[in-house]
Amino acid sequence: SEADVVRLVEDMRWRLVDFRAGNHPTFFETVTVMALQYFAERKCDLVIWETGLGGRLDATNIVTPLASVITNIQFDHQKWLGETLASIAMEKAGIIKPGIPVITATEDPAAIKVIADRAVAVGAPLVQVATAGGAGREFDLALAGEHQRINAAVALATIEALHGQLPVSESAKRSGLAGVDWPGRLQLITRSSGQRLLLDGAHNVGGAEALA
C-alpha cells in the first residue's frame, strides 16, 4: 500500500545518510532492502524473488534462495549483459548458489554450457527442462500460448526440486495451473464496439517471436 511505502521510505532515510556521495545506494538497491523488510514484517511463507537485470551484479542477488530458476536466455539488455547468449548466460548464472538447485529451460548450447559449468563449479544440482514435445501437457493450463506450456513445465520442475522443503499436492498443482490469471500476457479484450485487442508484454526479440 502507499502507506507502507511511505513508512518504509521514512525508515530508510536515516540509514542512507551514512553513505558517502560516491558510494550511495541506487534506487533499486534501496527498494530491494525495503522489499525484504516488508516481506519479513509480513512473515511470508514463500517469496518469488525476481532479478531486475542480469543476476550476477543485481541487488536481488544478496538473497540465498531455496531454488534458482533461469527460465531461458534471450538477447536483452546487451549494453549491460553482453552481446552473445553465452555472455548473457554468464550474468544470469551469477544467481546460482552452492548446493542450491537450479532449474532452467534454456536451449542454446553455448548458454547451457555456461549454466552447467557454473552449477558444477559450486555444486548446485542442475535440472534442464525439455522444451519440446510434451512440456507441461499433462496439465490443463489457463494461460494461452505454447511458451506458457514451457513456463508451466519449469514451475512444475521447481516444485519437484523443492518437494522435500515445500510439498505441493497434485490437486494444488492442477488447480493452480488451471486457474492462473496473468493480465497483459496474451490477454484478449473485447470492447463494447466489438473490436478485439490482444495485450502482451513482449519486450525483446524472443518475447516477440513467442507472441507471434
Side-chain angles (χ1 to χ4, degrees):
S1 68
E2 289 188 8
D4 282 320
V5 173
V6 171
R7 175 178 57 81
L8 290 164
V9 168
E10 289 291 346
D11 184 60
M12 286 293 294
R13 287 176 68 181
W14 68 268
R15 302 174 190 272
L16 297 176
V17 297
D18 293 333
F19 289 89
R20 296 189 303 275
N23 198 33
H24 198 277
T26 65
F27 170 80
F28 192 79
E29 288 167 342
T30 303
V31 297
T32 296
V33 174
M34 286 171 53
L36 287 171
Q37 184 177 344
Y38 182 73
F39 295 148
E41 291 173 357
R42 291 295 215 178
K43 295 180 171 57
C44 294
D45 296 311
L46 184 67
V47 172
I48 308 300
W49 187 245
E50 186 178 5
T51 58
L53 184 67
R56 182 174 65 94
L57 299 177
D58 195 83
T60 57
N61 206 22
I62 62 174
V63 166
T64 298
L66 297 177
S68 302
V69 181
I70 302 173
T71 51
N72 57 32
I73 304 293
Q74 299 286 355
F75 286 108
D76 206 359
H77 305 296
Q78 289 100 305
K79 180 179 177 181
W80 296 278
L81 305 183
E83 296 294 334
T84 67
L85 291 181
S87 65
I88 294 171
M90 185 187 73
E91 297 298 329
K92 302 272 189 180
I95 69 170
I96 299 174
K97 302 291 194 301
I100 302 296
V102 55
I103 298 93
T104 186
T106 301
E107 288 184 300
D108 181 77
I112 276 290
K113 184 178 186 310
V114 170
I115 293 170
D117 287 349
R118 169 68 180 172
V120 169
V122 301
L126 174 63
V127 177
Q128 289 182 246
V129 177
T131 59
R137 292 192 186 282
E138 65 273 30
F139 290 85
D140 292 328
L141 185 60
L143 299 176
E146 188 65 21
H147 58 296
Q148 295 294 5
R149 289 278 169 200
I150 298 168
N151 289 337
V154 171
L156 291 168
T158 305
I159 290 171
E160 181 62 30
L162 296 179
H163 180 74
Q165 298 159 286
L166 292 167
V168 178
S169 69
E170 188 75 6
S171 61
K173 295 176 192 176
R174 292 193 177 280
S175 63
L177 291 174
V180 62
D181 177 43
W182 197 358
R185 293 296 189 275
L186 273 178
Q187 181 184 6
L188 186 63
I189 292 178
T190 303
R191 305 177 75 174
S192 56
S193 63
Q195 181 189 36
R196 297 197 301 166
L197 301 175
L198 188 64
L199 307 181
D200 194 87
H203 64 278
N204 59 24
V205 172
E209 288 175 345
L211 174 59

